[in-house]
Amino acid sequence: MESETEQVQFQQCQANSPQVRNKMHQRRSANYRPNIWKYDFLRSLDNKYDFKEGIKERVKRLAEEVKPILSESVNSVSKLKLIDSMRKLGLSNLFDTEMKEALQTFASTNNGVFNMEDHLYARALRFRLLRQHGHVVSQDELRSFKEGRNTLNRSNCEDVEAMIELLEASHLALEGENILDEAKAFSTGILREIASGLDGRLSERAIHAMKLPMHWRVQWFDIKWQIDLYEQHEDKQSNLLELAKLNFNTVQATYRKDLVEISRWWRDLGLMEHVDFTRDRPVESFLYVLGVSQEPQLSTLRKSVTKIVILILVIDDVYDLYGSLEELECFTGAITRWDSEPIQQLPECMKVCFRALRDVTYEIAHDIGKDEDWHRVLPHLTKAWADFCKALLTEAKWDHSGYTPSLEEYLSNAWTSSSGPLLLSHAYFFVGQMKLEDVADLLERNKDLIYNVSMIIRLCNDLRTSKAEIDRGDAPSSVVCYMREASVSEDVAQEHIKGLINQAWKSINAQFFGNAETPFLQPFIDVTVNTARAAHMIYQFGDGFGVQDGHIERQILSTVIEPLALD
């Protein structure tokens, strides 16, 4: 049901259409560079990295060789290390059942893990692995670091590894877990102090953990780094290493095929011929969605949601850079009503955007619901787009009037404009065996989780893009809102925003852990939490969508395009 405000806006849009058409408005430019990923290059990937026959059979044989190793581990600590190595090397897809069964044993009993001198490393590793797999574990299990902090040998390799593992474990904290907060501060302080003096491998691991903790990383984007690290281990298992490399290349081949299909779709759509002011970023959009879902069998999810991300970038730029306020009100009204009539007097590029959005949304609804149920899917998708565009319109109004909201007011709108609810409203249809009638209930029951993930998307974005947006004259970001509200410097404001990201992760953790008894929810939760991790990846070193810098280019080459070299 439309609100009275929406009806009035629609009537005003119709009444003012000639003025909308003739309204003088300063179109802005973000000076985005052209897309560096050419279609002919991407198309060539179809044949460039063909695998030799027999590689899948080799993977199967190696998996059978490796499987017994879990049960043959000499002691509990070695078993924990093996499970951790398998996860880091990207082998969860092959040994998910065996790893879960082994961890279930650790969850139900101490299983001897603390009999080996009660070592902090073993405690922290067990704590992290169990929480990562949804088990409830008390923070008291890490209390021993407080007693041992005065006897820590900072040059001892085992103690340094314990600090790295303690730091990783501390990022799985819940709200109010002060022991873990202390553990994070303590381990970070120690590692910052000694990292530069460590040997090469230990130093790499310490710096890697301090840059971005494992719990906040997309696992797939870390596998090559972990394989390289494992290859340097004196006690590495050659069959495990070979299996990790073959498995990576096999799975990556699926992603390349997905990317080639997306690139072909984007070229055929031809939207950039009409919207040259926007970001032309199909490959970066695919990289982001790959962070959301890495399961090889979910190609349809990746391709569909990548189309959504591409259109999000385009429509966000329509609101930020191109449209006048009157034009944007008409455009928002058209999307809210899912009716093209209000846009007839708008610039051609906005009409083309609406038609592309409508066509893609119908296409995705058919992918989800097929011929019989697509019309039941469509209202969920169109509502998500309407909410997103209304949030963008609110920001455009703030910008137009020169208004700077309080941080609280900004965030109450920004979690929707972040695109998190829009992305997840689409992604949920592709995971699990969910009935269509259960979607709205599922989204409502997970609203807090979606909210906090969306906050991380927005805040990670703001930390890396606020300066460029200030220079362009865009609406204030969370950084600017807090700077003006609290009368603080940009550095202080950024630290405050980082604190909000930490708080959001604690709230996410509360819903991420404790799901061992409800495994049917795990696919939804994994996709949602991965969306936050993908945001950290895309904005870790800058604006991963706006600027095609060396970091994102290397990430794309490493994770999607270039396979691992095999002996």
Side-chain angles (χ1 to χ4, degrees):
M1 181 80 64
E2 285 182 306
S3 68
E4 291 184 13
T5 302
E6 289 168 352
Q7 290 176 352
V8 169
Q9 287 177 343
F10 176 73
Q11 291 163 359
Q12 289 175 339
C13 180
Q14 288 186 311
N16 294 332
S17 57
Q19 286 79 7
V20 171
R21 181 182 57 202
N22 297 319
K23 179 83 174 177
M24 295 301 294
H25 170 66
Q26 183 68 41
R27 311 292 186 191
R28 289 185 288 179
S29 171
N31 296 314
Y32 294 124
R33 292 183 180 179
N35 182 14
I36 65 173
W37 302 102
K38 304 306 179 186
Y39 173 69
D40 286 344
F41 166 73
L42 296 173
R43 184 181 60 178
S44 74
L45 299 178
D46 260 345
N47 303 314
K48 189 174 181 181
Y49 295 114
D50 277 346
F51 288 110
K52 297 176 183 176
E53 286 189 24
I55 194 166
K56 289 186 178 179
E57 288 74 13
R58 178 64 178 158
V59 167
K60 190 178 294 186
R61 286 198 300 271
L62 282 169
E64 290 303 315
E65 287 179 23
V66 169
K67 195 174 293 186
I69 298 176
L70 266 176
S71 57
E72 294 169 1
S73 296
V74 177
N75 58 55
S76 298
V77 177
S78 64
K79 184 170 288 192
L80 284 170
K81 285 183 176 181
L82 180 59
I83 293 170
D84 190 39
S85 292
M86 286 179 163
R87 289 187 80 258
K88 289 175 177 176
L89 296 174
L91 296 172
S92 296
N93 63 315
L94 299 179
F95 303 106
D96 183 60
T97 301
E98 291 80 7
M99 290 162 63
K100 284 179 178 176
E101 288 174 355
L103 286 170
Q104 184 61 50
T105 305
F106 284 108
S108 56
T109 67
N110 282 347
N111 203 35
V113 72
F114 303 139
N115 294 338
M116 301 187 65
E117 300 178 358
D118 199 12
H119 200 285
L120 176 60
Y121 170 82
R123 283 180 174 270
L125 179 58
R126 175 182 181 272
F127 177 91
R128 174 172 64 79
L129 287 173
L130 287 178
R131 279 208 173 179
Q132 282 177 330
H133 285 80
H135 295 283
V136 177
V137 194
S138 170
Q139 65 166 341
D140 289 335
E141 302 222 354
L142 296 183
R143 187 181 293 277
S144 63
F145 95 87
K146 300 179 73 173
E147 288 77 44
R149 67 170 71 189
N150 294 325
T151 61
L152 182 74
N153 182 347
R154 302 183 185 203
S155 63
N156 184 294
C157 178
E158 289 186 4
D159 283 350
V160 174
E161 288 186 336
M163 287 300 99
I164 294 172
E165 198 53 59
L166 184 64
L167 176 60
E168 296 285 12
S170 71
H171 283 86
L172 287 89
L174 307 178
E175 193 65 46
E177 290 191 321
N178 297 331
I179 292 174
L180 293 179
D181 291 339
E182 290 180 49
K184 180 189 289 185
F186 176 65
S187 56
T188 301
I190 295 291
L191 292 173
R192 280 179 179 163
E193 179 185 330
I194 66 175
S196 60
L198 298 173
D199 71 59
R201 197 172 68 204
L202 264 182
S203 177
E204 277 185 55
R205 288 177 55 200
I207 292 169
H208 197 66
M210 286 189 287
K211 278 183 179 176
L212 195 67
M214 195 184 310
H215 185 52
W216 295 7
R217 287 182 184 271
V218 175
Q219 185 188 14
W220 176 260
F221 299 150
D222 210 35
I223 290 175
K224 275 190 174 179
W225 188 88
Q226 295 289 353
I227 286 176
D228 182 62
L229 200 67
Y230 185 77
E231 204 159 16
Q232 300 173 46
H233 285 190
E234 293 179 2
D235 59 347
K236 65 178 179 289
Q237 301 190 46
S238 58
N239 54 359
L240 191 65
L241 183 61
E242 183 186 358
L243 179 59
K245 290 181 178 182
L246 290 173
N247 185 59
F248 179 89
N249 288 354
T250 303
V251 174
Q252 188 193 59
T254 299
Y255 302 155
R256 274 200 304 272
K257 289 177 183 176
D258 294 345
L259 176 58
V260 171
E261 289 185 35
I262 277 293
S263 301
R264 185 180 298 115
W265 166 85
W266 180 234
R267 181 205 60 175
D268 293 346
L269 189 65
L271 188 60
M272 288 305 298
E273 297 170 13
H274 305 277
V275 289
D276 57 359
F277 58 85
T278 189
R279 289 163 284 186
D280 182 7
R281 300 293 184 264
V283 179
E284 289 78 4
S285 298
F286 178 79
L287 182 75
Y288 183 83
V289 177
L290 178 56
V292 173
S293 178
Q294 298 98 56
E295 288 82 355
Q297 69 273 19
L298 292 180
S299 285
T300 304
L301 181 156
R302 281 188 293 276
K303 289 182 285 189
S304 295
V305 179
T306 297
K307 294 174 184 179
I308 299 303
V309 175
I310 292 170
L311 291 177
I312 284 170
L313 297 180
V314 171
I315 290 172
D316 184 57
D317 286 336
V318 167
Y319 280 82
D320 277 355
L321 301 173
Y322 188 84
S324 69
L325 189 58
E326 292 86 350
E327 290 167 348
L328 296 177
E329 285 175 340
C330 282
F331 190 78
T332 307
I335 290 175
T336 300
R337 288 170 165 263
W338 209 241
D339 177 9
S340 60
E341 183 181 348
I343 68 168
Q344 297 312 310
Q345 303 301 324
L346 290 179
E348 183 63 22
C349 69
M350 295 178 77
K351 289 191 277 190
V352 169
C353 282
F354 178 84
R355 289 195 291 267
L357 171 60
R358 181 190 57 197
D359 292 347
V360 170
T361 304
Y362 280 124
E363 175 191 325
I364 292 174
H366 275 281
D367 284 344
I368 295 167
K370 310 305 177 189
D371 291 339
E372 62 274 12
D373 284 326
W374 71 269
H375 61 283
R376 296 168 58 203
V377 174
L378 190 64
H380 294 287
L381 308 186
T382 57
K383 180 184 184 304
W385 274 110
D387 291 345
F388 173 65
C389 289
K390 288 174 190 174
L392 293 182
L393 180 61
T394 295
E395 292 176 352
K397 289 178 178 177
W398 290 342
D399 186 25
H400 182 78
S401 64
Y403 174 65
T404 301
S406 67
L407 181 60
E408 181 180 358
E409 184 182 7
Y410 171 84
L411 293 177
S412 69
N413 182 73
W415 79 279
T416 306
S417 70
S418 74
S419 77
L422 172 57
L423 290 174
L424 294 169
S425 293
H426 287 72
Y428 274 170
F429 282 105
F430 293 96
V431 289
Q433 302 296 319
M434 185 169 46
K435 297 178 181 178
L436 292 180
E437 53 267 28
D438 295 337
V439 172
D441 180 55
L442 182 68
L443 293 173
E444 184 61 33
R445 283 190 287 118
N446 287 280
K447 190 172 182 179
D448 287 345
L449 179 61
I450 295 169
Y451 171 81
N452 283 292
V453 166
S454 300
M455 289 289 284
I456 288 174
I457 298 171
R458 171 52 60 202
L459 296 174
C460 286
N461 182 327
D462 285 356
L463 281 175
R464 296 302 182 184
T465 63
S466 61
K467 187 178 186 306
E469 289 172 348
I470 291 170
D471 293 343
R472 284 202 303 266
D474 288 356
S477 67
S478 57
V479 176
V480 174
C481 289
Y482 189 72
M483 285 172 64
R484 295 177 183 173
E485 179 182 334
S487 300
V488 296
S489 68
E490 184 176 357
D491 287 345
V492 171
Q494 289 204 345
E495 288 305 311
H496 182 74
I497 298 307
K498 289 175 184 176
L500 294 181
I501 290 173
N502 273 306
Q503 288 178 22
W505 267 110
K506 287 183 177 182
S507 297
I508 290 169
N509 289 345
Q511 290 148 310
F512 183 60
F513 311 141
N515 284 296
E517 304 304 318
T518 53
F520 66 92
L521 280 178
Q522 206 58 50
F524 313 117
I525 293 171
D526 287 345
V527 163
T528 307
V529 177
N530 276 338
T531 303
R533 293 174 176 139
H536 279 289
M537 177 276 300
I538 205 77
Y539 296 113
Q540 185 177 0
F541 297 105
D543 181 2
F545 286 121
V547 181
Q548 291 181 304
D549 62 9
H551 169 71
I552 290 296
E553 183 179 358
R554 286 191 299 273
Q555 188 73 271
I556 291 165
L557 288 169
S558 175
T559 58
V560 185
I561 293 176
E562 296 175 346
L564 280 160
L566 302 173
D567 295 334

